[in-house]
Amino acid sequence: MTGAVLSTHGLVARYGDFQALYGIDFQIGQGEAVALIGANGAGKSTFLRAVMGLLPVASDMVRMGGQPIGGTPADRMVQRGVAIVPEGRRLFTGMSVQDNLRVAVDQADRLGRRGGWSLSRLHRLFPILNEKARTPVQSLSGGQQQMVSIGRALLCQPTVLLCDEISLGLAPKVIREIYAALPEIRAQGTSVVLVEQDVGLAQSASDRLYCLLEGRVTLTGPSGSVTRDQISQAYFGGSHAVV
Ligand SMILES: Nc1ncnc2c1ncn2[C@@H]1O[C@H](COP(=O)(O)OP(=O)(O)O)[C@@H](O)[C@H]1O
Ligand SMILES: [Mg+2]
């Protein structure tokens, strides 16, 4: 990897007295896809939130191009090129697909972010978003809503895209459709962090992976070369056997 686009260094995060992350060292290179796997409650969403400036963290715990940016407010993170597809999608219900996407276009404009993503390009990636442009988002299927959420993040012209369990609750066919968009996103030079509970999917869609267990990294390596046994050890801790 030629220099990390984004990295964390001993990243810790707390919710009040509860410590959720214990010193996470992480890095991602340009155009790389890195999966973050781990059981429910391992700290995956917390990691993304901490990186995104949605939780208080020390500035040198998160770096972009080597520069300390930890704790930068989320809006400024978007300005610096980090966008999140949050857990549970968080769309503006009562608004159409088009209006949800326009919020992102306006945000990017306001923040002065330029890039290769336009509404028409997004419509080529996910044609259904064009067909359903005037449909209120709450009338869409889960997969279509996820496409809106991804679209919204892409229209912020990210250099790093953080995806929080984008496959959750979706049918296999829809998951394939969504994951099929990744190569084009990465072809822009965008780096993608994929938080996934589906280990097989995470492995096949990423270059490298990190496994979290109770707020600590228990495994990291090239996705193609870590074994199933290594993953199950890392996922559940020493006392468990195979997944
Ligand atoms: N808002 C919160 N307040 C207190 N504890 C939280 C909060 N969000 C998450 N946690 C706790 O932090 C830990 C990590 O949660 P989370 O990052 O959501 O895990 P994951 O995304 O891997 O399922 C869990 O023990 C969870 O209960
Ligand atoms: Mg989560």
Side-chain angles (χ1 to χ4, degrees):
M1 196 198 311
T2 54
V5 173
L6 185 137
S7 56
T8 71
H9 308 265
L11 178 68
V12 296
R14 290 185 178 80
Y15 297 104
D17 287 343
F18 177 76
Q19 186 163 355
L21 297 178
Y22 294 84
I24 307 293
D25 295 321
F26 171 96
Q27 54 177 348
I28 185 166
Q30 188 183 358
E32 200 183 20
V34 174
L36 186 59
I37 60 172
N40 204 13
K44 305 180 299 298
S45 297
T46 300
F47 176 80
L48 296 188
R49 277 185 227 127
V51 166
M52 197 65 206
L54 298 168
L55 288 172
V57 298
S59 69
D60 61 356
M61 288 181 185
V62 186
R63 295 183 200 152
M64 261 188 109
Q67 245 193 310
I69 52 144
T72 304
D75 213 38
R76 291 263 304 138
M77 288 302 287
V78 173
Q79 191 167 36
R80 301 198 70 132
V82 186
I84 188 165
V85 184
E87 202 171 15
R89 304 173 199 128
R90 306 263 213 87
L91 300 177
F92 300 110
T93 52
M95 282 167 57
S96 66
V97 167
Q98 177 171 270
D99 288 346
N100 265 272
L101 296 175
R102 283 213 178 111
V103 171
V105 172
D106 291 347
Q107 186 184 20
D109 269 357
R110 180 167 48 81
L111 297 172
R113 274 210 69 79
R114 306 261 175 277
W117 289 99
S118 60
L119 277 172
S120 57
R121 176 131 184 247
L122 188 63
H123 289 159
R124 284 198 296 280
L125 190 68
F126 297 129
I128 193 74
L129 298 187
N130 191 23
E131 287 163 40
K132 302 268 183 185
R134 292 188 171 72
T135 306
V137 285
Q138 67 272 24
S139 310
L140 301 180
S141 70
Q144 293 164 352
Q145 288 184 6
Q146 195 59 275
M147 290 171 192
V148 178
S149 188
I150 294 167
R152 209 169 52 169
L154 290 176
L155 290 169
C156 291
Q157 318 293 352
T159 48
V160 181
L161 180 66
L162 310 176
C163 299
D164 201 346
E165 300 207 34
I166 50 177
S167 70
L168 193 70
L170 304 181
K173 179 172 172 279
V174 182
I175 295 172
R176 276 197 297 278
E177 230 178 297
I178 287 176
Y179 269 81
L182 276 185
E184 183 172 347
I185 294 169
R186 296 175 59 186
Q188 282 285 112
T190 302
S191 313
V192 184
V193 180
L194 289 169
V195 164
E196 262 303 336
Q197 276 206 51
D198 181 332
V199 174
L201 184 60
Q203 237 181 322
S204 65
S206 61
D207 303 309
R208 286 186 304 118
L209 62 76
Y210 290 78
C211 184
L212 283 188
L213 173 67
E214 294 170 1
R216 292 182 170 85
V217 174
T218 46
L219 176 69
T220 178
S223 303
S225 60
V226 293
T227 67
R228 203 179 161 79
D229 274 2
Q230 285 174 316
I231 289 179
S232 54
Q233 281 276 328
Y235 207 90
F236 296 113
S239 59
H240 292 72
V242 185
V243 181

